[in-house]
Amino acid sequence: MFQEFFLGFVKIHVLYHASKQPIYGAEILEELARHGYRLSPGTLYPTLHRLEKDGYLSVEKRVIEGKVRKYYAITGQGLAVLGESKKKIAELVDEVLLDK
Amino acid sequence: MFQEFFLGFVKIHVLYHASKQPIYGAEILEELARHGYRLSPGTLYPTLHRLEKDGYLSVEKRVIEGKVRKYYAITGQGLAVLGESKKKIAELVDEVLLDK
DNA sequence: GTCCACAATATCGTCTGCTGATATCGGACT
DNA sequence: AGTCCGATATCAGCAGACGATATTGTGGAC
């Protein structure tokens, strides 16, 4: 679908939420669905793994109500990307939304 | 590099410029470079072909000062994606930039 | 008209990443 | 030990990204 245009958006959403507080996979899936991004676990989980492997997220296992969850938090490197993303978003807004 | 986060941005830039006036490959490369997106011809051209094949862009060959250029213009379907993109951008801004 | 220069576009092999469907995990409860 | 269930993991097939390199097409020089 349009996915190819928005997968980057999804990753930025993930970084952003992970910068607010640790998040786990299933939670993100719901959150993203609320924004109209329908992506399957088969897409999200490998993505989380990669973001962690690449040093943008750190992971911590927790047990909540008998369920194992992996909470992801943003790292310094992740914050750098998020900052860069904000600049790029601002640029996009200037051009595409504000027609400058 | 960070490219995986921003390739969607690049495509949206392309659609946007193509909605203003027909554009050609080499021109886009420069324009994108101005925005800090360094991507090679080997990435851009196949992308243009695909956007055209998928019906988001239409193409017209022109000769300018002895050089063949392929000018791409946005289609109705492309405008639809661009519109959808604007919504998504606005959402991103609300969350990531404005911290809502 | 042949050759050259040059901008622009095209192609290639390889690698990385996306995808939906399906499987597996691990703790709690009985 | 067995079952349930939320959550995470994996797989095979396919699509897309990438840098480097090659090709195209036109106007002008001679």
Side-chain angles (χ1 to χ4, degrees):
Chain A
M1 245 276 288
F2 297 164
Q3 210 78 311
E4 71 169 302
F5 294 94
F6 302 127
L7 255 177
F9 285 30
V10 165
K11 293 174 188 174
I12 293 172
H13 264 287
V14 168
L15 289 184
Y16 172 75
H17 282 110
S19 79
K20 287 295 165 186
Q21 56 190 310
I23 50 176
Y24 64 99
E27 177 186 19
I28 305 175
L29 279 177
E30 284 180 28
E31 165 70 18
L32 289 174
R34 232 174 287 137
H35 285 281
Y37 301 105
R38 273 165 292 158
L39 60 104
S40 82
T43 299
L44 179 67
Y45 286 108
T47 296
L48 289 176
H49 298 163
R50 195 154 23 74
L51 290 179
E52 191 225 338
K53 180 172 76 61
D54 293 347
Y56 303 128
L57 297 176
S58 65
V59 65
E60 180 196 354
K61 195 185 288 189
R62 291 189 211 164
V63 177
I64 307 284
E65 295 175 11
K67 307 302 170 190
V68 176
R69 294 178 183 170
K70 294 203 176 167
Y71 279 85
Y72 291 89
I74 201 164
T75 64
Q77 211 182 330
L79 281 172
V81 174
L82 187 55
E84 189 64 27
S85 299
K86 289 183 183 179
K87 289 185 199 164
K88 298 290 191 198
I89 294 170
E91 278 183 22
L92 257 194
V93 169
D94 276 354
E95 270 209 73
V96 177
L97 291 191
L98 303 182
D99 241 317
K100 282 184 184 167
Chain B
M1 246 275 290
F2 298 164
Q3 209 79 310
E4 72 169 301
F5 293 94
F6 302 127
L7 254 177
F9 285 30
V10 165
K11 293 174 187 174
I12 293 172
H13 265 287
V14 168
L15 288 184
Y16 172 75
H17 282 110
S19 79
K20 289 294 166 188
Q21 56 190 308
I23 50 176
Y24 64 99
E27 177 186 20
I28 304 174
L29 278 178
E30 284 179 29
E31 165 70 18
L32 289 174
R34 232 173 289 136
H35 284 279
Y37 300 106
R38 272 165 292 156
L39 60 106
S40 82
T43 300
L44 179 67
Y45 287 107
T47 297
L48 288 176
H49 298 163
R50 194 155 21 79
L51 290 179
E52 191 225 338
K53 181 172 74 61
D54 292 347
Y56 304 127
L57 295 176
S58 66
V59 65
E60 180 197 355
K61 193 186 289 188
R62 292 190 209 164
V63 176
I64 308 283
E65 296 175 10
K67 308 301 170 192
V68 177
R69 293 178 182 170
K70 294 203 175 168
Y71 279 85
Y72 291 89
I74 201 163
T75 64
Q77 212 182 328
L79 280 172
V81 175
L82 187 55
E84 188 65 27
S85 299
K86 290 182 183 178
K87 288 186 200 164
K88 298 291 193 198
I89 294 170
E91 278 184 21
L92 258 193
V93 169
D94 276 355
E95 271 208 71
V96 177
L97 290 192
L98 304 182
D99 242 318
K100 283 187 185 167

